[in-house]
Short mmCIF file of all heavy atoms in Angstrom, two decimals:
data_model
loop_
_atom_site.label_atom_id
_atom_site.label_comp_id
_atom_site.label_asym_id
_atom_site.label_seq_id
_atom_site.Cartn_x
_atom_site.Cartn_y
_atom_site.Cartn_z
N ASN A 76 -6.65 -10.77 8.01
CA ASN A 76 -5.22 -10.81 8.39
C ASN A 76 -4.75 -12.25 8.71
O ASN A 76 -5.26 -12.86 9.70
CB ASN A 76 -5.06 -9.87 9.68
CG ASN A 76 -3.53 -9.94 10.17
OD1 ASN A 76 -2.69 -10.15 9.35
ND2 ASN A 76 -3.38 -9.74 11.42
N LEU A 77 -3.79 -12.79 7.99
CA LEU A 77 -3.19 -14.01 8.30
C LEU A 77 -1.69 -13.84 8.56
O LEU A 77 -0.89 -14.78 8.73
CB LEU A 77 -3.32 -15.07 7.13
CG LEU A 77 -4.73 -15.35 6.55
CD1 LEU A 77 -4.65 -16.39 5.54
CD2 LEU A 77 -5.55 -15.93 7.75
N GLY A 78 -1.23 -12.55 8.68
CA GLY A 78 0.13 -12.22 8.84
C GLY A 78 0.27 -11.77 10.28
O GLY A 78 -0.52 -12.13 11.24
N ARG A 79 1.33 -10.99 10.60
CA ARG A 79 1.54 -10.61 12.02
C ARG A 79 0.98 -9.34 12.37
O ARG A 79 0.18 -9.24 13.26
CB ARG A 79 3.11 -10.43 12.10
CG ARG A 79 3.57 -10.15 13.58
CD ARG A 79 5.06 -10.09 13.67
NE ARG A 79 5.43 -9.89 15.10
CZ ARG A 79 6.60 -9.79 15.55
NH1 ARG A 79 7.62 -9.80 14.74
NH2 ARG A 79 6.90 -9.59 16.74
N LEU A 80 1.13 -8.32 11.55
CA LEU A 80 0.62 -6.91 11.87
C LEU A 80 -0.72 -6.68 11.27
O LEU A 80 -1.62 -6.46 11.88
CB LEU A 80 1.64 -5.91 11.43
CG LEU A 80 1.22 -4.35 11.85
CD1 LEU A 80 1.05 -4.28 13.30
CD2 LEU A 80 2.23 -3.39 11.32
N GLY A 81 -0.71 -6.89 9.89
CA GLY A 81 -2.05 -6.82 9.20
C GLY A 81 -2.71 -5.27 9.45
O GLY A 81 -3.86 -5.30 9.68
N PHE A 82 -1.89 -4.28 9.20
CA PHE A 82 -2.47 -3.06 9.49
C PHE A 82 -3.57 -2.61 8.55
O PHE A 82 -4.44 -1.86 8.87
CB PHE A 82 -1.34 -2.00 9.30
CG PHE A 82 -1.48 -0.72 10.20
CD1 PHE A 82 -1.04 -0.63 11.45
CD2 PHE A 82 -2.28 0.29 9.64
CE1 PHE A 82 -1.25 0.57 12.25
CE2 PHE A 82 -2.54 1.50 10.38
CZ PHE A 82 -2.01 1.59 11.70
N LEU A 83 -3.48 -3.16 7.36
CA LEU A 83 -4.60 -2.78 6.32
C LEU A 83 -5.72 -3.73 6.32
O LEU A 83 -6.65 -3.44 5.72
CB LEU A 83 -3.92 -2.91 4.92
CG LEU A 83 -2.74 -1.83 4.63
CD1 LEU A 83 -2.13 -2.09 3.28
CD2 LEU A 83 -3.38 -0.39 4.72
N ALA A 84 -5.66 -4.83 7.08
CA ALA A 84 -6.70 -5.70 7.13
C ALA A 84 -7.92 -5.32 7.99
O ALA A 84 -7.61 -4.78 9.00
CB ALA A 84 -6.20 -7.15 7.57
N GLU A 85 -9.01 -5.54 7.50
CA GLU A 85 -10.29 -5.20 8.24
C GLU A 85 -10.63 -6.37 9.24
O GLU A 85 -11.24 -6.00 10.29
CB GLU A 85 -11.46 -4.98 7.28
CG GLU A 85 -12.79 -4.71 7.87
CD GLU A 85 -12.80 -3.35 8.61
OE1 GLU A 85 -11.87 -2.51 8.49
OE2 GLU A 85 -13.77 -3.09 9.30
N ILE A 86 -10.35 -7.61 8.98
CA ILE A 86 -10.88 -8.72 9.68
C ILE A 86 -9.64 -9.49 10.30
O ILE A 86 -8.73 -9.86 9.59
CB ILE A 86 -11.61 -9.72 9.00
CG1 ILE A 86 -12.85 -9.01 8.21
CG2 ILE A 86 -12.10 -10.85 9.70
CD1 ILE A 86 -13.69 -9.82 7.30
N GLU A 87 -9.74 -9.90 11.59
CA GLU A 87 -8.85 -10.88 12.17
C GLU A 87 -9.57 -12.20 11.96
O GLU A 87 -10.72 -12.34 12.05
CB GLU A 87 -8.63 -10.47 13.68
CG GLU A 87 -7.89 -9.21 13.85
CD GLU A 87 -6.47 -9.09 13.34
OE1 GLU A 87 -5.80 -10.19 13.24
OE2 GLU A 87 -6.09 -8.02 12.84
N LEU A 88 -8.70 -13.25 12.05
CA LEU A 88 -9.10 -14.63 11.72
C LEU A 88 -10.30 -15.01 12.61
O LEU A 88 -11.26 -15.65 12.26
CB LEU A 88 -7.96 -15.66 11.68
CG LEU A 88 -8.36 -16.92 11.08
CD1 LEU A 88 -8.83 -16.90 9.73
CD2 LEU A 88 -7.00 -17.82 11.18
N ALA A 89 -10.13 -14.65 13.92
CA ALA A 89 -11.15 -15.10 14.89
C ALA A 89 -12.54 -14.55 14.58
O ALA A 89 -13.59 -15.19 15.10
CB ALA A 89 -10.63 -14.60 16.32
N ALA A 90 -12.67 -13.51 13.85
CA ALA A 90 -13.92 -12.91 13.69
C ALA A 90 -14.34 -13.09 12.08
O ALA A 90 -15.23 -12.37 11.70
CB ALA A 90 -13.92 -11.39 13.84
N LEU A 91 -13.68 -14.16 11.46
CA LEU A 91 -13.99 -14.22 10.09
C LEU A 91 -15.31 -14.44 9.65
O LEU A 91 -15.93 -13.63 8.85
CB LEU A 91 -13.11 -15.39 9.57
CG LEU A 91 -13.38 -15.73 8.17
CD1 LEU A 91 -12.93 -14.66 7.25
CD2 LEU A 91 -12.44 -17.00 7.72
N TYR A 92 -16.09 -15.49 10.21
CA TYR A 92 -17.39 -15.76 9.75
C TYR A 92 -18.54 -14.86 10.15
O TYR A 92 -19.38 -14.48 9.35
CB TYR A 92 -17.72 -17.27 10.04
CG TYR A 92 -16.87 -18.24 9.19
CD1 TYR A 92 -15.74 -18.86 9.86
CD2 TYR A 92 -17.14 -18.39 7.87
CE1 TYR A 92 -14.96 -19.70 8.94
CE2 TYR A 92 -16.28 -19.10 7.05
CZ TYR A 92 -15.23 -19.78 7.68
OH TYR A 92 -14.36 -20.61 6.88
N PRO A 93 -18.47 -14.28 11.40
CA PRO A 93 -19.41 -13.22 11.61
C PRO A 93 -19.24 -12.01 10.61
O PRO A 93 -20.29 -11.39 10.28
CB PRO A 93 -19.20 -12.89 13.08
CG PRO A 93 -18.49 -14.07 13.58
CD PRO A 93 -17.71 -14.65 12.57
N SER A 94 -18.07 -11.76 10.31
CA SER A 94 -17.79 -10.65 9.39
C SER A 94 -18.41 -10.99 7.99
O SER A 94 -18.87 -10.08 7.31
CB SER A 94 -16.33 -10.24 9.44
OG SER A 94 -15.89 -9.93 10.60
N LEU A 95 -18.11 -12.25 7.56
CA LEU A 95 -18.55 -12.55 6.20
C LEU A 95 -20.12 -12.56 6.24
O LEU A 95 -20.70 -12.33 5.10
CB LEU A 95 -18.00 -13.91 5.95
CG LEU A 95 -16.45 -14.09 5.62
CD1 LEU A 95 -16.23 -15.49 5.19
CD2 LEU A 95 -16.12 -13.08 4.56
N GLU A 96 -20.79 -12.88 7.35
CA GLU A 96 -22.26 -12.87 7.41
C GLU A 96 -22.63 -11.35 7.07
O GLU A 96 -23.60 -11.20 6.35
CB GLU A 96 -22.74 -13.26 8.75
CG GLU A 96 -22.68 -14.67 9.05
CD GLU A 96 -23.86 -15.45 8.46
OE1 GLU A 96 -24.54 -14.87 7.76
OE2 GLU A 96 -23.97 -16.70 8.82
N LYS A 97 -22.03 -10.43 7.64
CA LYS A 97 -22.29 -8.98 7.48
C LYS A 97 -22.10 -8.68 5.90
O LYS A 97 -22.93 -7.98 5.37
CB LYS A 97 -21.53 -8.02 8.36
CG LYS A 97 -21.92 -8.27 9.86
CD LYS A 97 -20.99 -7.30 10.73
CE LYS A 97 -21.42 -5.88 10.51
NZ LYS A 97 -20.52 -5.04 11.34
N LEU A 98 -20.93 -9.16 5.50
CA LEU A 98 -20.71 -8.92 3.97
C LEU A 98 -21.68 -9.40 3.11
O LEU A 98 -22.09 -8.68 2.17
CB LEU A 98 -19.27 -9.64 3.74
CG LEU A 98 -18.75 -9.36 2.30
CD1 LEU A 98 -18.39 -7.85 2.11
CD2 LEU A 98 -17.62 -10.21 2.06
N VAL A 99 -22.17 -10.64 3.31
CA VAL A 99 -23.14 -11.33 2.41
C VAL A 99 -24.44 -10.49 2.48
O VAL A 99 -25.14 -10.27 1.50
CB VAL A 99 -23.30 -12.78 2.84
CG1 VAL A 99 -24.60 -13.29 2.16
CG2 VAL A 99 -22.11 -13.65 2.52
N ARG A 100 -24.80 -10.01 3.60
CA ARG A 100 -25.97 -9.24 3.75
C ARG A 100 -25.97 -7.81 3.26
O ARG A 100 -26.92 -7.10 2.97
CB ARG A 100 -26.39 -8.92 5.24
CG ARG A 100 -26.72 -10.27 6.00
CD ARG A 100 -27.50 -9.83 7.36
NE ARG A 100 -26.75 -8.96 8.08
CZ ARG A 100 -25.89 -9.28 9.11
NH1 ARG A 100 -25.70 -10.63 9.39
NH2 ARG A 100 -25.27 -8.38 9.81
N GLY A 101 -24.77 -7.46 2.85
CA GLY A 101 -24.43 -6.09 2.36
C GLY A 101 -24.35 -5.01 3.38
O GLY A 101 -24.46 -3.80 3.14
N ASP A 102 -23.94 -5.45 4.60
CA ASP A 102 -23.90 -4.65 5.74
C ASP A 102 -22.52 -4.11 5.98
O ASP A 102 -21.71 -4.43 6.77
CB ASP A 102 -24.50 -5.33 7.10
CG ASP A 102 -24.43 -4.39 8.25
OD1 ASP A 102 -24.37 -3.19 8.11
OD2 ASP A 102 -24.56 -4.92 9.41
N TYR A 103 -22.11 -3.29 5.01
CA TYR A 103 -20.76 -2.75 5.02
C TYR A 103 -20.73 -1.38 4.37
O TYR A 103 -21.67 -1.02 3.69
CB TYR A 103 -19.71 -3.64 4.30
CG TYR A 103 -20.02 -3.84 2.88
CD1 TYR A 103 -19.45 -3.13 1.85
CD2 TYR A 103 -20.71 -5.03 2.52
CE1 TYR A 103 -19.70 -3.39 0.60
CE2 TYR A 103 -21.06 -5.32 1.12
CZ TYR A 103 -20.41 -4.52 0.14
OH TYR A 103 -20.73 -4.68 -1.21
N THR A 104 -19.58 -0.64 4.51
CA THR A 104 -19.38 0.53 3.84
C THR A 104 -18.05 0.53 3.10
O THR A 104 -17.32 -0.41 3.38
CB THR A 104 -19.32 1.83 4.83
OG1 THR A 104 -18.32 1.53 5.75
CG2 THR A 104 -20.75 1.99 5.58
N LEU A 105 -17.77 1.49 2.21
CA LEU A 105 -16.61 1.46 1.54
C LEU A 105 -15.80 2.77 1.89
O LEU A 105 -16.46 3.85 2.07
CB LEU A 105 -16.78 1.49 0.02
CG LEU A 105 -17.53 0.28 -0.60
CD1 LEU A 105 -17.68 0.37 -2.10
CD2 LEU A 105 -16.69 -0.92 -0.33
N GLU A 106 -14.54 2.65 2.00
CA GLU A 106 -13.59 3.69 2.28
C GLU A 106 -12.65 3.87 1.15
O GLU A 106 -11.91 2.97 0.96
CB GLU A 106 -12.94 3.44 3.70
CG GLU A 106 -12.05 4.63 4.25
CD GLU A 106 -11.61 4.41 5.61
OE1 GLU A 106 -12.33 4.48 6.50
OE2 GLU A 106 -10.37 3.97 5.68
N GLU A 107 -12.50 5.05 0.69
CA GLU A 107 -11.65 5.30 -0.43
C GLU A 107 -10.29 5.80 0.10
O GLU A 107 -10.20 6.65 0.91
CB GLU A 107 -12.20 6.28 -1.46
CG GLU A 107 -13.42 5.75 -2.17
CD GLU A 107 -13.91 6.72 -3.32
OE1 GLU A 107 -13.31 7.91 -3.35
OE2 GLU A 107 -14.80 6.36 -4.18
N ARG A 108 -9.21 5.16 -0.37
CA ARG A 108 -7.91 5.55 0.06
C ARG A 108 -7.08 5.96 -1.13
O ARG A 108 -7.08 5.44 -2.29
CB ARG A 108 -7.02 4.31 0.61
CG ARG A 108 -7.73 3.68 1.83
CD ARG A 108 -7.61 4.67 3.08
NE ARG A 108 -8.11 3.88 4.22
CZ ARG A 108 -7.42 3.32 5.03
NH1 ARG A 108 -6.05 2.97 4.86
NH2 ARG A 108 -7.89 2.74 6.17
N MET A 109 -6.37 7.22 -0.93
CA MET A 109 -5.67 7.79 -2.00
C MET A 109 -4.52 6.90 -2.46
O MET A 109 -3.92 6.21 -1.61
CB MET A 109 -5.18 9.13 -1.43
CG MET A 109 -4.08 9.83 -2.26
SD MET A 109 -3.55 11.31 -1.36
CE MET A 109 -1.95 11.44 -2.16
N MET A 110 -4.12 6.88 -3.68
CA MET A 110 -2.96 6.19 -4.20
C MET A 110 -1.97 7.22 -4.88
O MET A 110 -2.38 8.24 -5.13
CB MET A 110 -3.36 5.13 -5.18
CG MET A 110 -4.41 4.10 -4.65
SD MET A 110 -4.56 2.75 -5.84
CE MET A 110 -3.15 1.81 -5.57
N LEU A 111 -0.84 6.80 -5.12
CA LEU A 111 0.28 7.60 -5.73
C LEU A 111 0.47 7.02 -7.08
O LEU A 111 0.47 5.71 -7.36
CB LEU A 111 1.50 7.50 -4.97
CG LEU A 111 1.49 8.11 -3.48
CD1 LEU A 111 2.83 7.84 -2.89
CD2 LEU A 111 1.12 9.48 -3.58
#
Side-chain angles (χ1 to χ4, degrees):
N76 183 27
L77 301 184
R79 185 176 185 184
L80 184 59
F82 205 94
L83 296 174
E85 176 69 7
I86 302 175
E87 297 297 328
L88 193 55
L91 176 59
Y92 291 104
S94 298
L95 292 181
E96 287 278 9
K97 295 178 67 175
L98 181 69
V99 170
R100 293 198 307 267
D102 185 14
Y103 62 88
T104 59
L105 296 180
E106 185 174 283
E107 292 188 350
R108 298 290 184 90
M109 170 185 157
M110 300 187 79
L111 297 175

